[in-house]
Amino acid sequence: MISSADWAFGRLDVTRVWRRLAAARVNYSVDEVHRSAWNIDFYSTALPEERPGPPEPGGSWEHACRLVRDYEFSPPEIVRALYDPAAPLLGRDMLLEARFHGMHFYCGVRVTDVVDETRDRTDRVWGWAYETLEGHLERGKVTYEVVKRQETGEVLFVVSCHSQGAPTLGPITSLGWRLFGRRTQLRFYRRCAERLRLFVEAAVRGENPLPGPPSTVGHLVCAPSDARMHRLDAVAIHRVAPG
């Protein structure tokens, strides 16, 4: 086990910041979401196929669900997460670290939906969604789902999201968000899909796609497992709850 001083989140007391999330509220209402003022995104990525029928034991769908559950698909150069793996998935608080050119922004999200159903009578779907908490750079909800189309054997990773920059951002952070936020957001979605596809392909071949267990701080884990601290992280600018 490594200490927080050596860990991917740098010198910040992330455990203390994570504990504060319990008192935070979701920072928007669904009634506020309108297409003209919000980004509405939908991405679907093909994963290795299975035979038609229910998900196969040890198959693409099962591997993808495990990786999505543990937030292993997140690109560590863009977003990392700190959470309690013993807590139920529904209601789980996650402290996200958004990394951008020497600046690390620490923002909270909460898992508010877990999906485990057969949809449209044929699609087997598992996934979850988090919503942004007070102090986040953004407002909105992201849903991550793994879908098997049982009639054809197709397996998909589906990401759907509605979001906008938080109106409470200061003038400098707001300018940075307008210039770079959307571009970074779209790159995040693209990298999530690329990583999950590569990881599932490796798992289906019988390989372990992850370098080992995730880093830890006490009882909390850092996802994804391949997140590592870099030399320049020691001098990064840390901003907690920039929104």
Side-chain angles (χ1 to χ4, degrees):
M1 184 179 297
I2 59 179
S3 70
S4 60
D6 299 322
W7 185 56
F9 279 81
R11 297 170 295 175
L12 187 72
D13 185 352
V14 290
T15 302
R16 179 171 56 87
V17 177
W18 172 81
R19 287 197 187 106
R20 293 178 187 167
L21 299 180
R25 297 173 298 177
V26 172
N27 65 353
Y28 80 105
S29 166
V30 292
D31 296 334
E32 300 177 74
V33 180
H34 302 287
R35 182 170 294 274
S36 60
W38 290 67
N39 296 312
I40 310 295
D41 297 310
F42 181 88
Y43 300 89
S44 179
T45 302
L47 302 176
E49 293 186 359
E50 297 181 356
R51 292 183 294 272
E56 300 174 8
S60 175
W61 189 85
E62 280 195 359
H63 286 302
C65 288
R66 173 177 54 84
L67 292 161
V68 169
R69 179 198 66 204
D70 296 340
Y71 207 61
E72 294 289 0
F73 58 86
S74 183
E77 73 276 13
I78 304 176
V79 176
R80 306 176 183 200
L82 181 79
Y83 65 90
D84 179 1
L89 180 57
L90 184 61
R92 175 180 292 171
D93 289 334
M94 304 173 66
L95 178 64
L96 303 186
E97 179 196 54
R99 302 162 69 93
F100 181 78
H101 292 300
M103 298 189 71
H104 297 177
F105 298 95
Y106 300 87
C107 306
V109 297
R110 180 170 297 136
V111 177
T112 54
D113 280 315
V114 174
V115 180
D116 188 357
E117 63 185 18
T118 299
R119 188 177 297 162
D120 299 327
R121 295 185 296 179
T122 59
D123 292 350
R124 184 70 178 90
V125 184
W126 186 89
W128 54 276
Y130 57 56
E131 292 183 276
T132 53
L133 300 179
E134 294 167 321
H136 202 291
L137 284 163
E138 298 179 64
R139 304 197 303 164
K141 179 177 182 178
V142 186
T143 302
Y144 304 105
E145 294 179 330
V146 184
V147 180
K148 178 171 183 183
R149 293 178 173 165
Q150 297 183 88
E151 289 185 335
T152 64
E154 293 175 278
V155 180
L156 304 171
F157 176 48
V158 178
V159 180
S160 54
C161 174
H162 55 259
S163 66
Q164 66 171 197
T168 50
L169 294 177
I172 296 177
T173 306
S174 181
L175 175 61
W177 177 260
R178 289 198 299 271
L179 292 175
F180 304 109
R182 182 62 173 161
R183 186 186 312 169
T184 302
Q185 186 181 44
L186 295 177
R187 184 163 66 94
F188 171 75
Y189 295 143
R190 184 176 67 252
R191 289 282 292 122
C192 285
E194 292 171 352
R195 280 172 58 87
L196 187 64
R197 185 176 61 250
L198 289 174
F199 287 170
V200 172
E201 288 173 349
V204 168
R205 293 194 301 266
E207 304 170 5
N208 184 357
L210 304 175
S215 302
T216 61
V217 178
H219 68 291
L220 305 177
V221 300
C222 173
S225 297
D226 55 347
R228 294 292 180 265
M229 187 170 179
H230 302 291
R231 186 175 304 171
L232 293 178
D233 288 347
V235 295
I237 298 172
H238 297 79
R239 291 204 59 195
V240 178

